Each structure stands twice: as C-alpha cells, then as structure tokens.
Amino acid sequence: MRYIYTLILTLLVPVYFLRLYWRGFKAPAYRQRWLERLGIFETPIEQGGIWVHAVSVGEVQAVAQLVGRLLDRYSDMPLLITTTTPTGADRVKALFGSDVTHLYAPIDLPWVVRRFLIAFQPRLLILVETEIWPNLIYYAKLEGVPTLLANARLSLRSAKGYHRVAGLTRDALRNLTMIAPHAEADAERFHTLGARPEKIEVTGSIKFDVHLPGSLLERVDVLRREWGGQRPVWIAASTHEGEDELILQAHASIRQALPEALLVLVPRHPERFERVGQLVEEAGFKLVKRTQQLPCDDDTAVFLGDTMGELTLFLGASDIAFIGGSLVPHGGHNILEATAQGVAVVFGPHMFNFNEISELYLHHQAAVQVDSVAELADQVSRWLSDASERSRVGEAGRELVEQNRGALDRLTQLVDRLLVS
C-alpha cells in the first residue's frame, strides 16, 4: 500500500509546487526555499538533535511550551522545527529566534525523507497532533530514530478518512514508537485504526498548560483603553473564508441592540487580511486596523487584527470570544487561550477538530455552542448586557484549564524515556 501511496504522491509533486507558486501570489514566502522541501539545504545542518514537525501556526503554538522545555532540558542538543507553511515559519522565528533551526518539511517521498534524515541524523522525531506521514515514519524506523506522535488527536471525521486507506494507516501507526493522545477517545480511535495498545499512552492535551506572559495584563489594559475602556467588546478569533461575512451579519444585529459594541475581527490567515478589511468596509462599518496603530473612537465598529502573534492579547482584552472555523465546516480552533484568561467563549456547530475539549466545556457549562448567525448574535448580545453571567462562564472555563494542567510534564517524561532508550 505504501508503494501505491508513493507512486501517487510522486505524480502529484508538480501539482504541489504549482500550488505553492499559486499561493505565492497572495503570500510571496510560498515561493521561497523550495529546495528544503526536497531535502536539499544551502548550509549543513547541525546533527544529532531533536526534530519537531508542526504544520503551521496552530501546531507551533500548541507545542511552544514543549519546545521551551526541550531547550532547557537538552540544551546540548540542536533542535530542529519543520513546518509546511510560511506563517508557521514566522511563528517559530517569533517564539524561538535563533535558539532553534527552522526548515520546511520534506515532501513525504522516500528519497526526500531519507536525505533529510541522513542530513540531520535526529535522535528523536516528534510529530505534532495528526501528522501521520507513512514514508517519513517508515524510514525513521529504518534509521533507528524513535518517533513520537505528541499531543495526538483524531476526530471521528478524521478517523473515517484514515479508514479509507486502512492498510496504509495501520502500517504507519505501527511504525511509530509511541502515540501520546489527548484523551481516551482519541486513543481508542488510534487503536481501532491499527495502533498497538502498548504504544499508546494518554498524556492529555498540552494545550491546557497555557502559559500567559507576566506582562500580559498590563498590555491588555493598555489595548482596552485604546479600544474604549467602557464599551462592550467581542472578538471573532481565527476566522476562515466564508465566515467573516457571517460574523459581520451578527455584528450588525448586535449593534442594533448595543450601538457602541466593538467587534475585534482576526482572520486565521494573513493573506486574507486585506480582503477581510474590504468586507468590513463594504458592510458599512468604520474600521481601524491594528497595523495603523490608532485608537478606536466612538464611531469605530470593527477593529481588524491584521498582525501575527497577538491573538492572546486580543482575546484577553475582549469581553467575549467567538472561536472561528466553527460557523463554517473547518473544525474550529483552540478555545483554551481565551478560557485561560477567564473570557467567556462561544463557538459554532463545527468543532470536530476539538471535539473532546468542546464537549468538556459544554458539559461543565463553561462555554456555549450556537447553530446559526442569529443564535450567535443573540448570545453575544445577552452576554455583553450581562457582565455577571459572562463572568460566571469565563471563570468556569478558567477553572477547567487549571484542573487539566499537567500534560506537559507527562509528555516530557515520555520524551525522556525515548531519548535514553
């Protein structure tokens, strides 16, 4: 099965690079450093360290604390982080600077991943969340490199997709050294797809081990004053294509009841910043962009977060957080950066990528799920008008974060075992 997969992937390589070229029209960085994706490097890589592969911004952010722990614990080893997107690369640079090496991830072809493995000679390969690459995992095993699928999650929808290529998935999972899932439900899905029980160790989600910078509260206060200290503020965080229009419809309804309400709109992908700004103006709202560095006056209806790396700040300065990717069938995003700060959270019907966490929060009445634009507008309006209720929900969310911390320690212990085995 892996040979058929390799043949298909080989045939798709021209399409892959054409797609990178096409995406480069909006984000020029997609046209840079292509040789790295083929395992060819301009300068030699320091060998014998830990390789962490995280696809993009979300995955990099998810393992940021683990990477920090590895830098402290294994300071004598080089640490390599690979991503597939330029936004992921930018986040690596912003978080870790020169403490780590960043490269674009190799295409999952035998001659590419072998070249990559030989060049770096890792002592451990850590794949983040759902990065199941059959050739990379197979050749890592062949080279004697232990592999860990960390912070692993597998939604019911993803499991059904992997089941369509059951043989390929089973072999890849069995070639992994260890799998560290979020929860028992994820562990059961991995087992059903073929992973051996003795290779699965539930560690919990390291996303609960949220680290908030010491200066955050001060920065939140400053930003909130720039938005207008007393006005009600809600944020739509990490929105996707087709979702911004729905958010703006909801905001129009909210402002009918609360004319002073401010929407903080933060698209997930930077190449969409300009287009989303146009949508805001076409909807008739007065707009201020973060990059303009201007305060919001009383007439400002929408603040566009058109920067990277400031979402935690924007969340903390808001009264209510809507989590994007959930009104459209993308699967949602991490709610914990908001709830760790005591911000009341609402999300749409499509949270299948964060099913366990969202269900936990709904069960404890620490978040609210809505099914439509009308329900979103109604929920946000009610919370903006009822500080005590949104504070109750926000505090319940903060308590859940505190109760579920500890996954980082368990995952670090697993890394220790793999490195000395």
Side-chain angles (χ1 to χ4, degrees):
M1 189 70 179
R2 189 171 53 82
Y3 299 108
I4 297 172
Y5 161 79
T6 298
L7 176 61
I8 294 171
L9 193 60
T10 301
L11 295 174
L12 289 175
V13 167
V15 178
Y16 172 73
F17 282 108
L18 279 172
R19 186 168 180 267
L20 291 179
Y21 185 81
W22 178 257
R23 295 191 73 175
F25 284 109
K26 289 185 177 180
Y30 275 103
R31 296 184 182 177
Q32 300 169 3
R33 298 166 58 185
W34 281 10
L35 289 179
E36 291 177 13
R37 300 178 189 268
L38 295 171
I40 301 170
F41 317 113
E42 293 182 359
T43 57
I45 312 172
E46 191 176 359
Q47 296 180 334
I50 300 171
W51 175 6
V52 178
H53 175 55
V55 181
S56 193
V57 175
E59 291 78 12
V60 171
Q61 196 66 47
V63 294
Q65 290 193 75
L66 176 61
V67 171
R69 183 74 64 86
L70 295 176
L71 287 170
D72 289 339
R73 210 172 180 87
Y74 299 102
S75 57
D76 58 328
M77 290 188 194
L79 203 154
L80 168 68
I81 301 180
T82 55
T83 65
T84 58
T85 67
T87 51
D90 291 342
R91 194 66 190 134
V92 170
K93 183 178 180 180
L95 287 171
F96 308 114
S98 60
D99 291 338
V100 306
T101 298
H102 172 269
L103 294 171
Y104 284 116
I107 300 171
D108 195 37
L109 292 171
W111 51 93
V112 177
V113 297
R114 290 192 74 183
R115 187 185 295 136
F116 212 101
L117 287 163
I118 292 169
F120 184 53
Q121 297 184 15
R123 290 180 56 183
L124 173 66
L125 168 59
I126 301 175
L127 303 164
V128 180
E129 296 192 347
T130 51
E131 287 302 286
I132 304 170
W133 293 104
N135 281 321
L136 175 58
I137 294 167
Y138 174 80
Y139 284 101
K141 182 178 180 180
L142 207 64
E143 295 289 335
V145 179
T147 49
L148 168 64
L149 188 62
N151 213 42
R153 59 184 175 89
L154 190 64
S155 68
L156 188 59
R157 178 173 175 174
S158 295
K160 289 178 180 177
Y162 280 116
H163 189 71
R164 296 190 186 101
V165 285
L168 183 68
T169 301
R170 182 189 62 248
D171 290 345
L173 292 177
R174 290 184 177 181
N175 283 329
L176 285 164
T177 308
M178 287 297 296
I179 302 171
H182 278 191
E184 292 293 344
D186 298 282
E188 181 57 35
R189 291 183 194 122
F190 281 114
H191 177 50
T192 300
L193 286 171
R196 292 189 173 91
E198 65 272 16
K199 289 190 172 186
I200 302 173
E201 187 169 319
V202 178
T203 56
S205 174
I206 59 176
K207 291 181 178 180
F208 280 104
D209 292 291
V210 180
H211 172 71
L212 300 176
S215 62
L216 183 61
L217 284 178
E218 182 180 340
R219 292 164 59 213
V220 161
D221 288 341
V222 171
L223 183 58
R224 188 57 191 246
R225 287 196 295 271
E226 292 177 1
W227 288 349
Q230 301 304 313
R231 70 188 305 184
V233 178
W234 72 293
I235 183 172
S238 299
T239 57
H240 285 258
E241 188 78 38
E243 194 167 37
D244 304 283
E245 296 90 336
L246 303 177
I247 296 298
L248 293 171
Q249 289 176 32
H251 192 49
S253 298
I254 292 165
R255 281 177 64 87
Q256 289 179 2
L258 299 163
E260 70 278 23
L262 177 69
L263 165 65
V264 179
L265 185 54
V266 187
R268 178 68 174 180
H269 299 112
E271 58 265 31
R272 297 185 55 246
F273 289 160
E274 184 176 350
R275 174 58 185 152
V276 173
Q278 292 173 355
L279 289 174
V280 172
E281 292 175 337
E282 289 168 4
F285 294 117
K286 183 176 178 182
L287 172 69
V288 167
K289 299 179 181 180
R290 174 61 165 172
T291 51
Q292 293 174 321
Q293 295 294 315
L294 296 173
C296 297
D297 60 29
D298 292 341
D299 295 328
T300 304
V302 178
F303 177 91
L304 181 65
D306 59 343
T307 55
M308 297 296 292
E310 291 195 297
L311 182 57
T312 302
L313 171 63
F314 297 154
L315 287 165
S318 302
D319 298 311
I320 298 164
F322 166 77
I323 305 303
S326 62
L327 273 181
V328 293
H330 179 81
H333 286 289
N334 181 17
I335 69 175
L336 301 178
E337 281 185 287
T339 62
Q341 299 184 76
V343 178
V345 162
V346 57
F347 44 77
H350 306 289
M351 283 292 286
F352 49 82
N353 284 336
F354 295 85
N355 190 52
E356 285 78 12
I357 290 176
S358 61
E359 285 186 357
L360 174 69
Y361 270 74
L362 292 173
H363 177 74
H364 288 274
Q365 298 183 337
V368 169
Q369 188 167 39
V370 296
D371 292 323
S372 66
V373 172
E375 287 186 17
L376 174 62
D378 180 63
Q379 183 63 54
V380 172
S381 296
R382 283 192 285 115
W383 271 352
L384 288 178
S385 303
D386 189 346
S388 62
E389 176 59 15
R390 71 172 185 260
S391 294
R392 183 197 66 76
V393 173
E395 189 55 36
R398 194 202 309 264
E399 289 176 3
L400 278 179
V401 171
E402 294 303 319
Q403 291 167 11
N404 286 277
R405 289 186 185 274
L408 180 60
D409 289 336
R410 291 187 287 273
L411 193 56
T412 303
Q413 291 168 9
L414 186 52
V415 168
D416 290 344
R417 291 194 340 240
L418 291 174
L419 281 170
V420 299
S421 61

